[in-house]
């Protein structure tokens, strides 16, 4: 983090804790100044081209003190063989939303927390879209979310509308 008073970066803090492969982090600072992080994790270690080796799952951690210390990361258990490209945002109702791509079925999943990251909903599929894996077959893509001034979350990712997968 960049210190306000000195304009210098503070000492780095490894939040993944375990000696495993990690990739594609995303960060959110919510309305209560809690710092939330999500990333890809693999027990098999690193891979290539910015991806980790299978099996891949999404990890989540939060800091209640501005990033000085972090609570132990949790894994989002999934039904997918691979969970890739996580993104995190907070909506107008102060719910934390995490989205990711699930492979090999090429679906887009999400989980919601109404408790500031303490508890999470079960994984659900976003209907009407599929990921881009079946078309582009690359680990180099990513997803991102932004929140507009009305608190509406917008998701951008490489994918297809349902029924248009063959285009």
């Amino acid at each position: 983090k960049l210190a306000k008073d000195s304009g210098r970066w503070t000492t780095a803090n490894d939040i993944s804790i375990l000696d495993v492969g990690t990739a594609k982090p995303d960060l959110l600072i919510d309305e209560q100044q809690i710092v939330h992080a999500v990333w890809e994790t693999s027990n098999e270690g690193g891979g290539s081209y910015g991806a980790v080796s299978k099996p891949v799952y999404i990890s989540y951690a939060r800091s209640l003190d501005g990033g000085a210390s972090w609570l132990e990361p949790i894994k989002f258990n999934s039904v997918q063989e691979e969970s890739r490209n996580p993104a995190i945002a907070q909506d107008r109702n102060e719910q934390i939303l995490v989205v990711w791509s699930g492979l090999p079925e090429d679906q887009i999943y999400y989980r919601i927390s109404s408790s500031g990251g303490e508890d999470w909903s079960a994984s659900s599929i976003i209907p009407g879209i599929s990921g881009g894996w079946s078309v582009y077959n690359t680990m180099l893509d990513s997803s991102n979310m932004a929140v507009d001034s009305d608190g509406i979350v917008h998701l951008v990712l490489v994918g297809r509308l349902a029924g248009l997968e063959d285009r």
Side-chain angles (χ1 to χ4, degrees):
K1 105 180 154 179
L2 189 63
K4 282 193 280 187
D5 53 347
S6 68
R8 297 174 191 228
W9 290 99
T10 60
T11 304
N13 192 349
D14 182 358
I15 65 173
S16 65
I17 298 176
L18 303 172
D19 188 20
V20 296
T22 60
K24 298 186 178 178
D26 197 20
L27 195 66
L28 164 73
I29 301 173
D30 72 15
E31 298 290 328
Q32 289 73 39
Q33 299 303 301
I34 297 171
V35 185
H36 305 264
V38 292
W39 63 94
E40 292 179 7
T41 304
S42 170
N43 293 334
E44 302 300 317
S48 59
Y49 299 109
V52 291
S53 301
K54 296 181 202 177
V56 182
Y57 50 87
I58 303 302
S59 289
Y60 164 82
R62 64 189 171 129
S63 171
L64 306 176
D65 57 10
S69 64
W70 291 81
L71 299 175
E72 186 171 338
I74 61 169
K75 286 194 294 189
F76 284 175
N77 293 333
S78 63
V79 296
Q80 310 84 250
E81 181 178 320
E82 296 180 69
S83 297
R84 301 270 184 188
N85 302 328
I88 189 168
Q90 182 179 39
D91 70 11
R92 65 178 164 203
N93 298 320
E94 297 186 4
Q95 297 181 115
I96 307 298
L97 173 68
V98 174
V99 174
W100 69 92
S101 299
L103 300 174
E105 66 280 357
D106 214 10
Q107 296 290 318
I108 308 303
Y109 290 83
Y110 70 96
R111 291 181 84 170
I112 295 174
S113 174
S114 298
S115 60
E118 194 169 321
D119 300 299
W120 291 89
S121 68
S123 299
S124 297
I125 294 174
I126 297 178
I129 60 173
S130 64
W133 177 255
S134 59
V135 178
Y136 304 111
N137 201 3
T138 179
M139 296 295 176
L140 299 178
D141 59 339
S142 63
S143 56
N144 201 348
M145 290 191 286
V147 181
D148 67 22
S149 60
D150 290 328
I152 305 297
V153 176
H154 299 268
L155 169 66
V156 62
L157 56 86
V158 175
R160 296 279 190 206
L161 295 175
L164 300 178
E165 291 86 355
D166 59 346
R167 289 190 184 180

